[in-house]
Amino acid sequence: MKLSKYLAPTLRDVPAEAEITSHQLMLRAGLMRKLASGVYSYLPLGLRALKKVENIVRKGMDNHGAQELLMSALLPREYYEESGRWEIFGEDMFRLKDRGQRDFCLGPTHEEIFTDTVKNNIHSYKQLPVTLYQIQTKYRDERRPRFGVIRSREFIMKDAYSFDRDQAGLDASYKNMYDAYCEIFDAMKLDYLAVDADSGAMGGSGSQEFMVKSEIGEDTIAYCSCGYCANEEKAQCVAGEKDSAEMLPMNKIHTPNSRTIEELTESLNTDAKHFAKTLIYRADDKCVAVMLRGDREVNETKLKNHLGAIELELASAEDVMRITGAPVGFAGPIGLKEKVEIIADFEIAGMKNMVVGANEGDYHFENVNTERDFTPDFIGDFRNITEGDICPVCGKAEIKTCRGIEVGHIFKLGTKYSEAMGCTVLDENGKDQTLIMGCYGIGVSRCLAAIIEQHSDENGIIWPMSVAPFHVAVVPVNSNDTAQAELADKIYNELIANGVEAVLDDRNERVGVKFKDADLIGYPLRITVGKKAADGIVEYKERASGNMEELTVADAIAKAIAKVREV
Ligand code: ATP
Ligand code: MG
């Protein structure tokens, strides 16, 4: 490709809307442009890199026996009614009507459609197992689109679904996809972890997320030197030891203007560990009180799973006033005005002489003890794990946390969709057998951004060869110098003839501008044709290491070809 005619509009300034490196660089390097919040157009360079990522995914899936097909993005309501998800998706789903007023959505994910396809087209156990996949555009009206294509409203996903007759079959299909994912993310040169993930209210152990380690990741990962790693949402907290202190007499204390744990620890001059906070939550159509140690955070995923709730949020000030008889900040387990279930974290049961809200404005109780003063309705694990916690696997207090970007998710679905939609095959005895499913997603466009997050420097992107939009930039220092221009052209053509994806920077620009753009766009290799062109000497540079050497034209071409073929 000759850059004088190529649509690669680079920007010198950092666009104000872009907070993170990959988003800034995707705009600055001319890979994409924003159309609306969470909606982007890929320009030629961006599309080339995206297609590379797609093809790595495709190859990994094909190598593991999955079959590619392509479903529509425009999907009729009926399928989502069958599974109950027309309701559940809520505002995340883009909905529309056709001219006959029939309801459609833009598919946020395709479990229903694949289940229906297998139901209608696979009839015998002899045709199993089967794993089907597509690489396709998904639509989700995300509450907070951000970080460019990391969380966008239109994005490309690879979604795959496996169909098996029994649990052992599902386990094998799942393991097969796990292996495919490792191959895929290795090929993209991502530094990632496969972490245990939440598998919803049904529980079970069959769910892992592939997390790219990154400070800007929206997920927190807990990990231990023993090898355990899990999403914070899922990471189990162990109950810990019980305090053996003597129980002291309970007192009501005046705590004016002390609603938050910080205000209380200051006014009472004690540690947050001696407080139990009580939070009122609304879970669908009921409210519950959740208690945990003052310095802990509620794990809403664990709470939601325990309650089997679809929607979970902190209760409104009115709900809190009605239930506790006090404004927000004074809730406690003793003397609630309305009976609600009290759910306590394990640690609460082990605490002695705690301070709790008195369900009365400006008052707390001190020296409160479970069993003597109140009994929770349920005690369990409802908090977020933190650094220094005890590992639930090896039992050592070595939990550490880091941030991650979820690029893929593998999940043992079981029979949720096949049962709801009647997806069965005939077994050996001619009887209907409900299929057991797995589902496996990769955020293809999110991967592109994640690769840039992990492969860049202050000058721009540093593409791994496997996903680079072009492998080599051939740069004549002075395009008006005939010898340089001719030699650059020759190198460019020879590279292309050998299957190398090359660009020729034949723009009438200063060499400084060409170099800056080459670094920003991040071509893995650059061959510069300058003053020594007449002697057949060029400069060969690797973007990643910054190594630069003078080589003969033949050596430079041979070296570039070899580098590209390494992949
Ligand atoms: P998240 O927790 O990030 O919202 P999710 O659990 O909703 O992800 P899945 O439904 O499992 O995601 O989708 C499969 C993959 O699609 C995810 O692992 C992620 O890489 C990608 N993905 C999901 N939502 C988006 C989005 N809004 N923009 C870009 N990629 C996305
Ligand atoms: Mg999501």
Side-chain angles (χ1 to χ4, degrees):
M1 186 55 62
K2 296 190 176 177
L3 292 186
S4 57
K5 302 283 187 302
Y6 197 57
L7 179 61
T10 53
L11 307 173
R12 288 286 160 255
D13 297 324
V14 177
E17 83 216 56
E19 301 164 68
I20 60 162
T21 306
S22 60
H23 189 191
Q24 290 169 356
L25 288 175
M26 288 181 80
L27 295 171
R28 285 190 54 210
L31 305 187
M32 66 174 193
R33 288 292 179 261
K34 178 175 156 182
L35 212 61
S37 166
V39 183
Y40 294 88
S41 308
Y42 288 94
L43 300 184
L45 281 172
L47 182 64
R48 285 184 72 99
L50 184 70
K51 292 281 170 203
K52 296 263 176 100
V53 172
E54 255 183 55
N55 282 330
I56 289 176
V57 174
R58 181 170 284 117
K59 191 168 154 207
M61 296 300 289
D62 292 348
N63 284 347
H64 286 79
Q67 304 171 41
E68 184 173 7
L69 45 68
L70 182 61
M71 303 289 194
S72 172
L74 183 63
L75 303 169
R77 171 178 182 158
E78 296 75 70
Y79 297 90
Y80 290 88
E81 282 293 354
E82 275 185 60
S83 69
R85 291 209 293 183
W86 186 260
E87 286 286 318
I88 290 172
F89 266 112
E91 292 192 323
D92 280 3
M93 192 185 245
F94 278 104
R95 296 157 204 263
L96 62 164
K97 287 190 191 293
D98 71 3
R99 62 174 74 202
Q101 298 307 305
R102 285 173 290 259
D103 285 314
F104 283 79
C105 70
L106 296 177
T109 169
H110 280 64
E111 278 78 359
E112 287 81 352
I113 316 303
F114 277 77
T115 307
D116 186 71
T117 301
V118 168
K119 168 184 168 174
N120 293 329
N121 296 288
I122 293 187
H123 304 293
S124 160
Y125 72 95
K126 290 183 189 153
Q127 295 169 279
L128 296 176
V130 69
T131 297
L132 304 171
Y133 79 97
Q134 63 174 344
I135 297 176
Q136 186 256 5
T137 308
K138 298 277 187 274
Y139 296 86
R140 295 183 185 177
D141 197 357
E142 297 278 357
R143 189 185 294 273
R144 233 187 123 202
R146 61 181 192 150
F147 295 168
V149 292
I150 287 195
R151 183 167 302 284
S152 49
R153 297 197 294 169
E154 181 190 74
F155 59 99
I156 301 193
M157 195 203 284
K158 185 284 297 172
D159 50 329
Y161 307 86
S162 64
F163 296 83
D164 280 279
R165 299 175 66 196
D166 51 27
Q167 190 62 37
L170 170 62
D171 292 347
S173 295
Y174 180 91
K175 171 71 171 59
N176 184 40
M177 282 296 108
Y178 178 94
D179 293 342
Y181 276 38
C182 294
E183 191 177 303
I184 288 167
F185 296 125
D186 285 343
M188 292 182 198
K189 303 292 175 208
L190 286 169
D191 180 14
Y192 64 93
L193 287 168
V195 311
D196 289 351
D198 174 51
S199 37
M202 290 168 297
S205 61
S207 172
Q208 282 161 297
E209 287 161 346
F210 286 76
M211 293 283 188
V212 167
K213 293 183 214 159
S214 165
E215 278 299 306
I216 63 101
E218 293 180 300
D219 288 85
T220 300
I221 303 162
Y223 63 96
C224 175
S225 54
C226 76
Y228 173 74
C229 58
N231 192 318
E232 179 190 65
E233 290 179 349
K234 160 93 179 178
Q236 266 169 272
C237 300
V238 300
E241 280 170 22
K242 291 198 172 203
D243 184 350
S244 56
E246 283 286 305
M247 287 195 242
L248 300 173
M250 185 174 114
N251 277 323
K252 192 172 185 179
I253 48 176
H254 192 213
T255 51
N257 303 320
S258 298
R259 290 156 190 263
T260 65
I261 292 293
E262 292 75 39
E263 286 162 351
L264 275 169
T265 48
E266 209 175 291
S267 67
L268 299 180
N269 196 21
T270 48
D271 197 280
K273 289 182 180 152
H274 298 297
F275 293 94
K277 57 183 170 193
T278 306
L279 300 161
I280 311 294
Y281 269 92
R282 171 164 285 280
D284 300 329
D285 48 10
K286 69 169 182 178
C287 286
V288 296
V290 182
M291 295 186 68
L292 67 171
R293 209 171 82 179
D295 57 335
R296 300 304 196 186
E297 272 175 26
V298 177
N299 183 312
E300 293 188 354
T301 304
K302 293 176 184 173
L303 182 60
K304 206 166 165 179
N305 288 344
H306 168 72
L307 294 168
I310 294 170
E311 292 289 340
L312 180 80
E313 58 184 1
L314 278 170
S316 64
E318 295 83 68
D319 279 337
V320 172
M321 180 55 94
R322 195 186 67 250
I323 291 164
T324 70
V328 174
F330 301 97
I334 303 164
L336 286 164
K337 306 293 171 293
E338 187 177 307
K339 169 93 187 106
V340 292
E341 189 185 349
I342 299 177
I343 296 172
D345 182 67
F346 281 132
E347 282 181 333
I348 294 292
M351 283 166 72
K352 285 277 163 61
N353 304 321
M354 48 192 153
V355 177
V356 303
N359 297 316
E360 185 181 336
D362 292 344
Y363 284 94
H364 281 78
F365 289 123
E366 63 175 1
N367 301 330
V368 171
N369 291 282
T370 45
E371 285 167 30
R372 187 190 71 182
D373 305 318
F374 74 99
T375 308
D377 296 294
F378 191 89
I379 297 172
D381 172 20
F382 294 104
R383 71 174 174 92
N384 280 338
I385 203 162
T386 56
E387 295 239 349
D389 264 356
I390 293 171
C391 169
V393 171
C394 73
K396 293 194 197 126
E398 286 184 358
I399 288 292
K400 290 207 165 47
T401 59
C402 67
R403 310 285 290 177
I405 304 169
E406 179 193 325
V407 288
H409 191 182
I410 57 178
F411 193 106
K412 291 183 186 171
L413 267 179
T415 55
K416 181 171 173 200
Y417 295 92
S418 46
E419 224 158 65
M421 302 182 74
C423 179
T424 60
V425 293
L426 292 177
D427 68 10
E428 293 88 333
N429 307 315
K431 274 184 127 171
D432 278 341
Q433 187 175 13
T434 302
L435 296 186
I436 304 183
M437 292 171 59
C439 73
Y440 316 93
I442 291 181
V444 174
S445 36
R446 186 181 282 185
C447 282
L448 188 63
I451 293 167
I452 297 173
E453 277 305 319
Q454 287 193 337
H455 297 274
S456 74
D457 65 11
E458 66 281 5
N459 297 318
I461 303 170
I462 306 176
W463 288 112
M465 195 62 89
S466 60
V467 286
F470 289 97
H471 303 132
V472 184
V474 181
V475 182
V477 169
N478 179 357
S479 301
N480 296 322
D481 178 311
T482 320
Q484 287 185 22
E486 276 173 8
L487 183 57
D489 208 52
K490 177 178 169 268
I491 295 170
Y492 166 71
N493 284 316
E494 207 164 321
L495 288 171
I496 289 178
N498 281 282
V500 173
E501 296 166 20
V503 294
L504 175 66
D505 198 345
D506 59 342
R507 295 177 300 165
N508 194 12
E509 288 282 4
R510 282 179 295 115
V511 70
V513 171
K514 295 183 183 184
F515 285 171
K516 270 207 153 53
D517 278 350
D519 281 351
L520 176 59
I521 291 168
Y523 309 103
L525 303 174
R526 190 181 85 198
I527 296 176
T528 307
V529 183
K531 286 210 180 81
K532 296 190 182 167
D535 311 324
I537 301 289
V538 295
E539 185 193 274
Y540 175 96
K541 185 180 177 195
E542 286 180 12
R543 174 72 177 91
S545 64
N547 285 345
M548 200 140 59
E549 54 188 329
E550 288 194 338
L551 295 176
T552 62
V553 170
D555 284 351
I557 292 174
K559 199 161 178 177
I561 294 171
K563 255 295 194 237
V564 170
R565 290 193 181 153
E566 264 174 24
V567 175

